[in-house]
Amino acid sequence: MEVSRAMLLFAAALLSYVAASSAAKCSMHGFCDSKNKLPCIYNGVPKPVTDESARTIMKEACGDYFAIHGDSLCCDAAQIKELAKQVKALEGLGLRRCEACYANFQKLLCNMACSPHQGDWLRVFHYDEEPHEVAEQAAFYVDYKTLRNLYGSCINAKKFLRFVPLSFAYCGQDYHNCTMNLWYGALGKRRAGLTSLDVTYEPVDQEAIFTGLREYRPFQDSMYGCNETVSGKTCSCEDCEAVCEDADDAVKPVPLST
């Protein structure tokens, strides 16, 4: 009898843990430093976005995000307006030369800033690691394949394109000097204009990692290949080696049957 009771208690505790680990939670919400656009550290549940203008801006910046994720997010109206500027900055950095690249990075930015499951993969903190209400840095844990596929959709393996001035400064004119880590390192800096705080993109090749006495599960999503058509647009051969290969295959003569 005691054994059965102990097993029931264990099962209940396990279910409680699973429910808690899968529940929506945030790492940040709102700006605590509105001048510098630094977010507040917030380890709570997502909050409803009721501002209609913010909802319209969110739809323009991130598509049907509310339809997919619900009305409660880990960002408020002010953050959504800032996010829209960051998504727009992708174009200025040259990342819309290829629509697949743009759509992939857009997906990454929208989820990092607003996902109701943000707390699963985003760790925010202050530079001195002491308790603060303002976040200055973030570690964004992302599935390795997701990061690799996004990078592959933006960087032509055959000929390095100077998509991003920061990337160019880090990687050098010769594309052989560029690496995925250097590229994400450049784009994660606040000065690149894509985030409100300095972000380190951390590639993860396992289901979960433990850091700071808690578990994080990496963000994972499908990414478009640069040779895929997105929103009716396809990358040029100049910007996507795979498109060149597809074109070569299309014009190859069909061997005559014997």
Side-chain angles (χ1 to χ4, degrees):
M1 188 71 176
E2 286 298 321
V3 174
S4 297
R5 185 171 181 274
M7 290 181 66
L8 286 172
L9 288 173
F10 174 76
L14 182 61
L15 287 172
S16 177
Y17 171 78
V18 171
S21 63
S22 62
K25 53 191 173 185
C26 304
S27 292
M28 57 185 184
H29 190 278
F31 288 129
C32 278
D33 183 341
S34 56
K35 179 181 178 181
N36 294 306
K37 305 299 182 186
L38 292 174
C40 304
I41 296 174
Y42 170 71
N43 297 308
V45 297
K47 299 181 180 182
V49 178
T50 57
D51 186 298
E52 287 302 323
S53 64
R55 292 178 68 89
T56 299
I57 292 171
M58 186 69 180
K59 185 174 178 61
E60 292 172 353
C62 301
D64 294 326
Y65 205 81
F66 290 109
I68 298 170
H69 299 281
D71 293 326
S72 295
L73 302 178
C74 290
C75 57
D76 64 6
Q79 285 177 293
I80 288 173
K81 292 173 184 176
E82 193 65 20
L83 172 62
K85 295 177 184 176
Q86 292 160 0
V87 171
K88 184 69 176 177
L90 290 171
E91 298 183 35
L93 292 172
L95 293 173
R96 204 164 190 176
R97 288 177 59 110
C98 179
E99 194 68 18
C101 166
Y102 171 80
N104 288 339
F105 224 115
Q106 176 192 44
K107 190 184 299 187
L108 196 72
L109 294 182
C110 292
N111 280 291
M112 177 172 61
C114 292
S115 171
H117 295 281
Q118 180 192 75
D120 288 346
W121 52 68
L122 191 73
R123 181 170 69 94
V124 297
F125 48 94
H126 200 271
Y127 279 120
D128 58 16
E129 293 276 4
E130 295 297 323
H132 287 276
E133 66 173 9
V134 180
E136 291 183 328
Q137 284 185 299
F140 188 10
Y141 301 106
V142 185
D143 171 67
Y144 174 81
K145 289 183 179 178
T146 298
L147 281 181
R148 188 72 198 177
N149 290 340
L150 191 161
Y151 175 73
S153 71
C154 295
I155 292 293
N156 188 335
K158 181 184 291 185
K159 182 178 65 176
F160 177 69
L161 298 172
R162 286 183 286 177
F163 276 12
V164 188
L166 280 171
S167 178
F168 174 66
Y170 277 87
C171 297
Q173 191 167 7
D174 182 356
Y175 76 91
H176 288 296
N177 293 329
C178 194
T179 66
M180 184 177 79
N181 288 340
L182 287 174
W183 194 72
Y184 280 114
L187 294 175
K189 300 296 183 185
R190 282 190 67 194
R191 63 177 180 266
L194 302 182
T195 65
S196 297
L197 66 173
D198 286 332
V199 176
T200 301
Y201 292 95
E202 300 279 3
V204 180
D205 59 1
Q206 54 199 52
E207 288 188 7
I209 62 169
F210 292 86
T211 183
L213 300 178
R214 61 156 293 185
E215 179 187 70
Y216 290 91
R217 293 184 172 273
F219 171 75
Q220 185 175 10
D221 208 336
S222 59
M223 293 286 143
Y224 297 107
C226 66
N227 60 337
E228 292 186 63
T229 300
V230 181
S231 301
K233 300 177 182 178
T234 306
C235 298
S236 67
C237 173
E238 180 187 25
D239 294 335
C240 177
E241 184 177 4
V243 171
C244 305
E245 293 171 353
D246 291 345
D248 290 342
D249 290 340
V251 298
K252 283 181 180 177
V254 178
L256 297 174
S257 58
T258 56

